Amino acid sequence: MKKCNRLVEVGRRQFLRGGVMGAAGAAAATVFPAHQAQARSLARVEYPADRLANVADLVVNEPMDITYPDEDSPGVLLKLGTAVQGGVGPDGDIVAYSVLCPHKGWLLTYNPGDMTLNCPGHFSRFDCEAGGQQTWGHATQNLPQFELRVDDGGDIYAEGVDELIYGRLSNVI
Ligand code: FES
């Protein structure tokens, strides 16, 4: 019984020590919010608006090479001829995508026959009429689509990206 009481006492001391450590942890946690707020702000992606072309420069189903949000991120600007998901411009048919395959970064090529972007690496295919949805292959992510805006003069601006561009931990420049 004496031994049992000693164990209870040890347990009580450990419990109290845990309480002290918990209180210290809580005090430390009160220091973190500012730090966490900074981490949150670092994670927020702010995209520069970048003029890509003018509506008048585009021909239906002929891809135009672009880069966005920087020179290391190749993409394609397309006028598809019919209104599509995420399409802008007077006909709602202008879209833009990254051409870096989300699987291992091979450069995609455009197939005007079915309006898909295709990977020569492991044959992933992405539907340009469906927001870059992957329809086949090894990639595990849809194609990053660039968010576009057209101003009153017909200038087309990219202002964001809806998926992570291949090879980046974030889309921050
Ligand atoms: Fe495109 Fe593998 S790199 S499917």
Side-chain angles (χ1 to χ4, degrees), residues 100-108 118-126 134 136-139:
L100 292 178
C101 181
H103 179 220
K104 290 194 174 180
W106 286 57
L107 273 180
L108 306 175
N118 297 267
C119 181
H122 313 97
F123 313 114
S124 286
R125 295 164 57 84
F126 304 91
Q134 182 186 351
W136 181 259
H138 284 42

